[in-house]
Amino acid sequence: MAPIITLISDWRLRDPYLAMFKGRLLAALPEAHLLDITHHIDPFDIGQSAFVMKNSYLSFPEGSVHIMLTNTSASLKEPAVVVSVDNHYFVGVDNGVFSLMFAGKGPLAGRQLAEAGDMTSLQGIVSLAQSVVEGTLDADTIEYTAFKRALGAVPVHFAPQKTIEGEIVYIDAAFNAVTNIPTQWFREAVGNKPFQMHIHSKTEWVVKRYCESYTKSEDIFLTNNALQHLQISMYQGKVALLANLSVGDKVEIEY
């Protein structure tokens, strides 16, 4: 099976840099299938990148290589690192994204190139991906454990007064607002009970309806996003624009 390599970044598509990077990957691994997760992460937002990747990678076959390019430059000082989790490989610069993505999975163990020389971080990422695909990772790398910590999304919190607290962590292309609250947790805690989601934005909003799928409605409602998290939506409406919602806005569900 040809190797699968996914990419996520804040690079956008206007400039040639992403295509140039893909060219380097294909020169090293001409049989690889390159698949884009997204290149429209907000600039430098490693928390958003971690959220999207963490909730996307299991859709791909085991053994896939996932390249993290958000807030990454062609630096000589930042080493490229590879982390293996769930038989998937994550390659990128240790700018805090790995500690965000795998918080709660125990101590991280990674690998870095044994002889990086004058290699830039982007060249190092390509070399690590090549080592993974060609099965030479152990020979080409040494242990890496000094992972950076980064402040990310507020964790989901269950308060004793039957309250779930979280925040908006992603605005998608249709301007739906995705929260960091897993839909399954909401289903288990709230079920069919009445609830109110208070959205603490520039204007206070209250949502009282949950639909299992995107549905016709005149009101703002909650539904399940493809990332399996609660999404704030409006039928054929750009809810994040209309309601002035932003990444970082706190949400609170009372039930």
Side-chain angles (χ1 to χ4, degrees):
M1 179 178 175
I4 292 176
I5 299 178
T6 76
L7 300 101
I8 188 169
S9 79
D10 56 353
W11 290 16
R12 303 298 196 269
L13 300 175
R14 180 181 183 277
D15 300 315
Y17 313 129
L18 178 63
M20 293 166 65
F21 182 80
K22 287 181 176 180
R24 294 178 195 170
L25 278 174
L26 290 173
L29 297 166
E31 301 299 320
H33 289 315
L34 305 186
L35 301 173
D36 300 302
I37 292 181
T38 180
H39 298 292
H40 290 269
I41 296 295
D42 290 341
F44 317 117
D45 194 335
I46 60 172
Q48 191 178 98
S49 190
F51 173 80
V52 173
M53 179 60 81
K54 181 176 71 173
N55 293 289
S56 300
Y57 75 86
L58 288 176
S59 298
F60 297 91
E62 290 188 357
S64 296
V65 179
H66 307 283
I67 294 182
M68 315 285 295
L69 295 171
T70 301
N71 195 23
T72 298
S73 61
S75 169
L76 290 170
K77 298 180 181 179
E78 297 176 307
V81 178
V82 58
V83 176
S84 177
V85 175
D86 297 329
N87 202 23
H88 288 250
Y89 297 90
F90 303 85
V91 185
V93 169
D94 180 25
N95 52 20
V97 68
F98 297 112
S99 64
L100 285 174
M101 194 158 45
F102 300 120
K105 283 188 173 286
L108 282 176
R111 311 285 298 181
Q112 69 180 57
L113 290 170
E115 298 181 9
D118 294 330
M119 198 177 290
T120 67
S121 55
L122 295 181
Q123 290 171 327
I125 289 171
V126 172
S127 293
L128 281 177
Q130 186 175 9
S131 295
V132 171
V133 170
E134 295 179 350
T136 61
L137 189 62
D138 289 342
D140 296 342
T141 62
I142 57 175
E143 186 178 24
Y144 181 90
T145 57
F147 286 93
K148 293 180 181 178
R149 298 287 178 181
L151 296 176
V154 173
V156 179
H157 174 65
F158 287 83
Q161 299 82 12
K162 290 191 174 181
T163 301
I164 307 172
E165 299 171 351
E167 68 174 27
I168 295 171
V169 292
Y170 187 68
I171 306 294
D172 69 15
F175 294 95
N176 299 298
V178 185
T179 76
N180 65 341
I181 301 173
T183 306
Q184 187 59 34
W185 293 9
F186 171 83
R187 292 185 185 122
E188 292 173 357
V190 179
N192 294 321
K193 296 189 287 290
F195 73 91
Q196 292 186 348
M197 173 186 273
H198 298 269
I199 307 171
H200 303 290
S201 183
K202 298 175 182 65
T203 302
E204 294 290 318
W205 293 89
V206 177
V207 184
K208 300 181 181 180
R209 184 180 180 192
Y210 172 79
C211 303
E212 275 296 335
S213 60
Y214 190 77
T215 188
K216 189 171 183 178
S217 172
E218 296 181 359
D219 302 319
I220 297 175
F221 62 93
L222 301 182
T223 189
N224 182 34
N225 181 268
L227 298 172
Q228 304 303 311
H229 282 65
L230 282 183
Q231 171 179 295
I232 304 165
S233 295
M234 177 182 290
Y235 181 70
Q236 295 184 349
K238 300 177 180 180
V239 68
L241 288 180
L242 294 173
N244 204 12
L245 306 181
S246 302
V247 170
D249 287 346
K250 303 300 184 289
V251 298
E252 183 179 55
I253 299 173
E254 297 175 347
Y255 58 95

